[in-house]
């Protein structure tokens, strides 16, 4: 067996089991991979204070030293749409007109494999530039769009989870799942067969994962939701991704389509789609019964604050989510979201928590409840936990895959001043969240 070992020295940011941030001003990260086997990721052998660990570095292994920089876990984006890069910043009255006027026309273009391949590269470049090393991403309803982004992520050894968008109704020609031949009426069945073929092609292939992807209740027939639930039961390690309770008009539409359901989330539940590894974007208008169901089923909410603000959807209630104890983490939701940057997302989450409390007439304690270390955790280790990938990605801990970032707080003049003056780790993290952007991501290392 040939083992390749790497050693890195810099400041070290990580989290303990309880989600508390840990910081070593002079830290060491030691990683190893068995290179006799192809495609084995580098895993963390040791991490902590340099003084305590330096004698674990084997003789002859060079130490890559970044003085004044900080090594931190790669960010995890819990919900993003790769075909919506060219939709960012398209203003609309709300979600439904935005989908109709901007989003659906752009997504229709992904029937063309060449377009999908080109945009897949732009998408992965953006994730990398912003320090996102794991993403749960929507593709479109075209199998070639799934193949394009999986092929590109595989070549870069990125951890990407994606899936074919299921939408067999209430969507335009060219985007609705098509039948096998123009004159057959098997579009729903075809979409489920295509999903299963793609599961077998891509799920658990190196670092890739598959997500069964019903777009949202209005675009899926009952037969399609039932089929998606059956697939989810047969392939328990596969993810489910969708949208829930994002916008008031959308919710009214769902109530019309499914008057017997207790709630929007209950529609998915009736079809077996609320289970571990199910991740629902938004969840702004959930009630406590919904939250309890999420907790009991081990399902997660992908909180998408820049999207919620941009589309005027509403304010996610972080306090209620934390009290109920269901899984949740942060997401860009590009292109409803306005930025790939985890710093922009954490900032918007902070503003959301402030304004939620303010609008409820509460005392301004939200800043304490959503501490900067908690925001950072929700976009790294907490988001990984929401995916069922805790211990695998999202944190620097022994045994985990060694995806990490080299952060440079000197890269932005104001941030350099502000972080130099920070007295505590929380102050340092807060300065990064408020002033940080992609200039701070000096290097991204994939496991
Ligand atoms: N609901 C259904 N599709 C979408 C989408 O593409 N973006 C958002 N934000 N919500 C959705
Ligand atoms: Zn979305």
């Amino acid at each position: 067996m040939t083992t390749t070992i790497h050693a890195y020295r810099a400041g070290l940011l990580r989290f303990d089991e309880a989600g508390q941030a840990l910081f070593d001003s002079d830290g060491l990260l030691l990683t190893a991979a068995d290179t006799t086997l192809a495609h084995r990721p580098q895993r963390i052998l040791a991490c902590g204070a340099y003084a305590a660990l330096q004698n674990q570095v084997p003789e002859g292994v060079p130490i890559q030293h970044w003085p004044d920089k900080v090594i931190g876990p790669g960010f995890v984006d819990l919900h993003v749409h790769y075909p919506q890069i060219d939709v960012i910043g398209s203003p609309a009255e709300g979600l439904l007109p935005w989908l109709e006027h901007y989003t659906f026309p752009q997504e229709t273009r992904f029937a063309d494999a060449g377009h999908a391949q080109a945009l897949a590269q732009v998408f992965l470049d953006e994730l990398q530039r912003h320090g996102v090393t794991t993403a749960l991403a929507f593709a479109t309803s075209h199998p070639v769009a799934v193949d394009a982004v999986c092929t590109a992520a595989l070549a870069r050894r990125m951890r990407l989870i994606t899936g074919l968008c299921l939408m067999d109704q209430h969507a335009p020609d060219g985007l609705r799942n098509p039948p096998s031949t123009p004159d057959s009426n098997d579009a729903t069945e075809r979409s489920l067969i295509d999903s299963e073929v793609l599961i077998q092609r891509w799920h658990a292939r190196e670092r890739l994962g598959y997500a069964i992807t019903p777009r949202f209740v209005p675009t899926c027939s009952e037969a399609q939701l039932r089929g998606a639930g059956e697939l989810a039961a047969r392939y328990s390690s596969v993810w489910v991704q969708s949208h829930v309770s994002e916008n008031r008009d959308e919710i009214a539409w769902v109530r019309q389509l499914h008057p017997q359901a207790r709630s929007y989330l209950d529609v998915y539940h009736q079809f077996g789609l609320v289970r571990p590894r199910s991740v629902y974007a938004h969840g702004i208008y959930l009630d406590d019964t919904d939250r309890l169901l999420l907790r009991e089923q081990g399902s997660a909410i992908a909180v998408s604050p820049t999207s919620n603000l941009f589309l005027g959807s509403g304010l996610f209630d972080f306090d209620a989510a934390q009290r109920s104890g269901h899984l949740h983490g942060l997401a860009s939701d590009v292109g409803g979201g306005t930025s790939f940057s985890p710093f922009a997302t954490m900032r918007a989450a902070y503003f959301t928590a402030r304004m939620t409390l303010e609008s409820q007439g509460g005392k301004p304690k939200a800043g304490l409840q959503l501490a900067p270390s908690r925001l950072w955790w929700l976009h790294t280790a907490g988001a990984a936990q929401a995916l069922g990938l805790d211990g695998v990605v999202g944190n620097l801990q022994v045994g985990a895959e060694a995806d990490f970032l080299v952060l440079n707080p000197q890269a932005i003049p104001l941030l350099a001043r502000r972080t130099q003056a920070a007295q505590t780790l929380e102050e340092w993290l807060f300065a990064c969240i408020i002033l940080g952007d992609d200039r701070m991501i000096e290097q991204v290392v994939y496991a």
Side-chain angles (χ1 to χ4, degrees):
M1 180 167 107
T2 311
T3 306
T4 311
I5 296 184
H6 296 296
Y8 308 96
R9 181 179 177 186
L12 199 63
L13 171 68
R14 62 210 156 96
F15 298 91
D16 69 12
E17 302 260 300
Q20 295 297 313
L22 305 172
F23 186 74
D24 295 290
S25 54
D26 184 14
L28 181 77
L29 179 70
L30 204 59
T31 72
D34 172 1
T35 41
T36 43
L37 301 163
H39 314 305
R40 285 298 154 107
Q42 286 279 326
R43 289 184 185 279
I44 297 174
L45 271 185
C47 64
Y50 177 78
L53 297 177
Q54 59 178 312
N55 53 14
Q56 290 192 26
V57 182
E59 220 169 294
V61 171
I63 299 177
Q64 169 109 50
H65 191 192
W66 291 291
D68 305 322
K69 310 281 182 338
V70 173
I71 291 173
F75 288 107
V76 176
D77 190 337
L78 259 193
H79 177 76
V80 57
H81 297 252
Y82 104 81
Q84 293 181 11
I85 293 163
D86 294 333
V87 183
I88 300 176
S90 304
E93 275 169 39
L95 171 69
L96 300 176
W98 175 81
L99 286 172
E100 187 185 340
H101 298 308
Y102 300 105
T103 309
F104 288 169
Q106 278 298 334
E107 291 195 11
T108 305
R109 301 178 65 195
F110 284 70
D112 173 40
H115 181 72
Q117 285 156 7
L119 273 280
Q121 296 296 351
V122 177
F123 172 68
L124 298 181
D125 285 349
E126 285 300 306
L127 292 184
Q128 178 168 348
R129 207 157 61 73
H130 289 283
V132 175
T133 51
T134 295
L136 174 60
F138 265 60
T140 62
S141 48
H142 314 97
V144 291
V146 177
D147 287 338
V149 77
C150 286
T151 304
L154 190 70
R156 298 182 188 214
R157 302 199 332 275
M158 280 176 73
R159 241 194 196 279
L160 182 81
I161 305 165
T162 189
L164 182 78
C165 200
L166 298 174
M167 44 190 312
D168 64 354
Q169 63 179 23
H170 298 135
D173 287 349
L175 190 58
R176 257 191 342 272
N177 302 119
S180 305
T181 59
D183 46 3
S184 63
N185 62 353
D186 67 346
T188 304
E189 195 189 344
R190 181 84 254 147
S191 70
L192 297 165
I193 292 169
D194 284 346
S195 296
E196 188 161 11
V197 167
L198 291 165
I199 289 172
Q200 286 164 2
R201 185 175 303 154
W202 296 115
H203 184 63
R205 182 155 166 199
E206 297 181 30
R207 306 187 78 204
L208 300 179
Y210 192 84
I212 298 162
T213 307
R215 180 171 206 125
F216 69 152
V217 165
T219 54
C220 300
S221 66
E222 292 198 10
Q224 195 173 43
L225 290 170
R226 187 169 307 109
E230 284 164 9
L231 267 184
R234 276 173 39 228
Y235 292 94
S236 61
S237 68
V238 158
W239 283 267
V240 170
Q241 60 177 344
S242 191
H243 299 88
V244 75
S245 297
E246 175 179 4
N247 165 288
R248 293 181 198 278
D249 293 339
E250 171 213 23
I251 293 168
W253 193 10
V254 170
R255 199 173 297 125
Q256 254 177 30
L257 292 168
H258 296 268
Q260 81 295 351
R262 198 203 68 82
S263 68
Y264 190 160
L265 185 69
D266 186 46
V267 180
Y268 294 119
H269 182 46
Q270 285 175 13
F271 291 106
L273 289 163
V274 181
R275 46 81 134 159
R277 296 201 164 194
S278 294
V279 181
Y280 288 93
H282 306 287
I284 297 169
Y285 300 99
L286 300 176
D287 62 17
D288 282 341
T289 308
D290 292 326
R291 293 188 186 100
L292 185 65
L293 178 68
L294 290 171
R295 198 188 70 197
E296 284 175 354
Q297 298 299 320
S299 304
I301 293 294
V303 186
S304 309
T306 71
S307 171
N308 296 343
L309 295 172
F310 182 73
L311 292 174
S313 302
L315 301 175
F316 180 79
D317 192 339
F318 284 96
D319 205 32
Q322 203 172 346
R323 267 190 282 111
S324 87
H326 69 74
L327 295 168
H328 60 288
L330 291 177
S332 69
D333 191 30
V334 160
T338 51
S339 174
F340 279 94
S341 173
F343 298 107
T345 301
M346 292 189 285
R347 252 188 322 268
Y350 179 73
F351 297 150
T352 296
R354 292 290 300 184
M355 291 315 294
T356 305
L357 219 98
E358 216 51 47
S359 66
Q360 291 169 352
K363 296 201 175 71
K365 63 177 185 203
L368 301 177
Q369 179 244 322
L370 254 193
S373 58
R374 168 103 187 143
L375 287 163
W376 209 291
W377 182 85
L378 285 169
H379 223 336
T380 52
Q385 188 183 79
L387 287 171
L389 290 177
D390 34 335
V392 181
V393 292
N395 200 4
L396 303 178
Q397 60 192 116
V398 172
E401 296 175 1
D403 287 325
F404 68 89
L405 314 176
V406 181
L407 301 166
N408 180 5
Q410 281 83 43
I412 304 168
L414 203 50
L415 180 63
R417 284 183 67 83
R418 195 61 196 85
T419 49
Q420 266 154 21
Q423 302 281 318
T424 64
L425 177 59
E426 292 294 333
E427 282 182 23
W428 188 89
L429 293 169
F430 224 146
C432 295
I433 289 170
I434 299 302
L435 297 169
D437 59 35
D438 56 301
R439 287 170 290 177
M440 202 186 163
I441 312 291
E442 179 148 314
Q443 208 165 313
V444 179
V445 179
Y446 298 111

